Amino acid sequence: MSNASQRRWELDALRGLMLVLMTLTHMPTMYSLPSGQPFGFVSAAEGFVFLSAFMAGRVYGGRARRDGLPAMQAAFHSRALKLYLCQVGLLLLAFTLIAWLGVHNRQGGVTGLLEFFFIDPSAAVMGAALLIHNPPLLDILPLYIALMLLSPWLLRRGLQQGWRGVLTLSALLWLAQQWGLGLALHGLTGRLIDFPVPYKDMGAFHWLAWQALWVAGLWLGARQQPLPRFPWWLLVPAALYALGMLLWRHMVGQDPMPGVPAVGQLLDKWSLGPLRVLNFASVFVLLVSAGPWLRQFLPRPWPLELLGRNSLSVFCAHIVIALFTLAFFGSTQVIRPWTTDVALLVSAFAGLFAVAMTAEAREHRGWRLALVWRSGAQMR
C-alpha cells in the first residue's frame, strides 16, 4: 500500500480532496457550514469511507490472492491496531488537555463536545477505550476500526463463495437501520446489562448503515478490475439527479426541508437515508464516467496527492488542530473577523502539509533502509 508504484494517483488526490473538505467543515470558522455537503446531500465523509474501502479491497484483496488469506487477515489486523492506537492518542488528548482548556477558557464548543465525559468520566473513558463512546469529531476512526476488523471475514467470504450473500446481508442491515435497528439493539442491551452510554453518545455515525458503504467499496476494490462503463440511459438520470440535489442543497441549506423531519430522514447523513444513497450513487456514476477525461486534460493535483498518500497522519492532525481551535477560539457560534478565520484556516492547512511532508520523508527513509538491508542480506 505504501509502495508508490502500486498507487493510483487519482485515488490519492480524491482522498486528499476529502481531507481538505473535512478540515474546512470541522474547523470552527464561518466557512464550516458552507463547506459541509458540497456535492449536494453528500459529504466528504461518505467519499472518504468509500475510497478507503475501495483501496482496502484492492490492496488486501491482492494480498490474499498473492500471499494467502492468513496474510491478508494479519495485514488487516495490523492496520486496525495502528488505527486504534491513533484513536487512543486522540482520546487521551481530548480527555485531558482539551477538556481542561475548554473549562479554563469557558469554551462551550469543547464542553459540549465532551458533554458525556463531564457527566460520567469513568464511563466515558472506559466506553471510549472499547469504542462504545465516541464523541463528535472522534467518531470516524472507531467506525473505520470496526470495519477493518470485519473486512477479513468479508473478503474471505467474497473471494471464496462470491459476493452475493455479503452484499445482500449488508443491504438488509442498512434497511433495518432505516427503521431504527440500532436504537432497538441499544435499548435491548440496556435491559439485559448495565450499559451506561446513551445512544446519542455512541457516535453520530450509525454503523449498521455505514457498513453498507464500506462493503460496496470493498467489493468493487476486491474485483481487481476497472470500474464499469455506464450506459447513457443511466448516466443521464444520474446527472439530472445529482444536479437537482446540488441545487437543492445550496439553495435551501443543509436541512433539506425545515419543519418536515420525514424528508430530512430520507436524506439523513448519519443513517445514510435512501435519497442520500441515491445522491452518492449519482455522483459516483458521474465521477467514474468523467474520470478518463479528467485524468487526460486536468493537471495532476500534487498537493492533494500528498495529503491523500498520508491520509491517516493528516486525518489525525486535522482533528488535533480542530480541537485546539475550539479550545482557544470557540465554535462557529463565536463571531470573529473574517481575517481571523482565514488565518486559522491557512495555519491549519500549513500544519497539515507539514505533517504530510514529514510522514512522506519518514516513509521514504524507511524504504531506503529496507532496500539497503535487503541488499546486504543478499550479499551475505
Side-chain angles (χ1 to χ4, degrees), residues 317-340:
H318 108 276
I319 294 294
V320 171
I321 293 171
L323 288 174
F324 274 108
T325 305
L326 280 168
F328 282 105
F329 293 90
S331 67
T332 55
Q333 306 301 318
V334 177
I335 299 176
R336 295 182 292 264
W338 68 269
T339 51
T340 302

Side-chain angles (χ1 to χ4, degrees), residues 8-333:
R8 290 178 56 180
W9 67 264
E10 64 272 22
L11 297 182
D12 284 330
L14 274 175
R15 198 146 63 158
L17 175 61
M18 298 303 109
L19 287 165
V20 168
L21 292 172
M22 281 193 283
T23 302
L24 288 171
T25 303
H26 293 158
M27 283 290 290
T29 69
M30 66 176 65
Y31 306 103
S32 175
L33 289 177
S35 302
Q37 305 189 116
F39 309 114
F41 292 99
V42 176
S43 71
E46 287 96 316
F48 191 78
V49 169
F50 182 83
L51 279 170
S52 298
F54 181 82
M55 295 176 76
R58 286 186 71 239
V59 172
Y60 296 114
R63 173 72 67 87
R65 291 183 173 92
R66 185 177 63 253
D67 302 328
L69 294 173
M72 173 270 292
Q73 182 170 325
F76 264 119
H77 289 169
S78 176
R79 183 65 173 175
L81 176 60
K82 186 176 182 179
L83 292 169
Y84 180 76
L85 293 176
C86 291
Q87 177 69 3
V88 169
L90 292 173
L91 289 168
L92 183 62
L93 175 68
F95 289 159
T96 54
L97 182 57
I98 297 299
W100 180 83
L101 286 172
V103 173
H104 182 266
N105 296 333
R106 299 181 180 179
Q107 294 293 358
V110 169
T111 54
L113 189 85
L114 302 175
E115 178 184 16
F116 185 63
F117 171 75
F118 289 112
I119 294 173
D120 191 343
S122 59
V125 170
M126 182 61 69
L130 296 174
L131 306 181
I132 297 172
H133 167 52
N134 302 301
L137 288 183
L138 299 170
D139 53 358
I140 298 180
L141 279 183
L143 169 67
Y144 199 4
I145 294 166
L147 293 171
M148 291 291 283
L149 292 175
L150 180 64
S151 291
W153 179 85
L154 296 173
L155 265 181
R156 183 187 299 269
R157 177 84 179 185
L159 293 175
Q160 290 183 335
Q161 303 181 33
W163 286 88
R164 182 175 299 178
V166 172
L167 293 171
T168 300
L169 178 60
S170 176
L172 289 174
L173 287 174
W174 169 83
L175 183 62
Q177 179 58 43
Q178 306 309 304
W179 295 93
L181 177 60
L183 182 59
L185 290 176
H186 178 272
L188 178 61
T189 303
R191 288 192 293 272
L192 294 176
I193 62 175
D194 183 19
F195 194 77
V197 181
Y199 186 62
K200 67 180 182 64
D201 292 308
M202 294 182 66
F205 295 90
H206 297 162
W207 292 9
L208 292 177
W210 279 75
Q211 56 76 29
L213 192 62
W214 178 273
V215 170
L218 193 71
W219 163 60
L220 286 173
R223 292 169 66 244
Q224 305 287 322
Q225 298 175 11
L227 292 172
R229 296 174 61 90
F230 297 103
W232 67 268
W233 53 264
L234 184 60
L235 185 59
V236 171
L240 292 174
Y241 188 81
L243 178 61
M245 287 293 176
L246 183 68
L247 294 174
W248 187 4
R249 152 68 182 95
H250 290 285
M251 290 175 64
V252 176
Q254 297 208 41
D255 186 350
M257 196 169 291
V260 186
V263 175
Q265 187 63 31
L266 293 173
L267 287 162
D268 184 62
K269 174 179 179 178
W270 312 119
S271 62
L272 285 180
L275 294 184
R276 191 180 191 90
V277 171
L278 284 177
N279 197 174
F280 178 84
S282 65
V283 173
F284 172 76
V285 167
L286 293 178
L287 191 59
V288 170
S289 300
W293 182 88
L294 293 173
R295 286 194 300 269
Q296 183 176 357
F297 292 102
L298 293 184
R300 284 182 63 169
W302 297 103
L304 294 181
E305 289 182 52
L306 175 65
L307 295 178
R309 281 197 303 270
N310 303 281
S311 58
L312 179 57
S313 299
V314 173
F315 178 86
C316 293
H318 108 276
I319 294 294
V320 171
I321 293 171
L323 288 174
F324 274 108
T325 305
L326 280 168
F328 282 105
F329 293 90
S331 67
T332 55
Q333 306 301 318

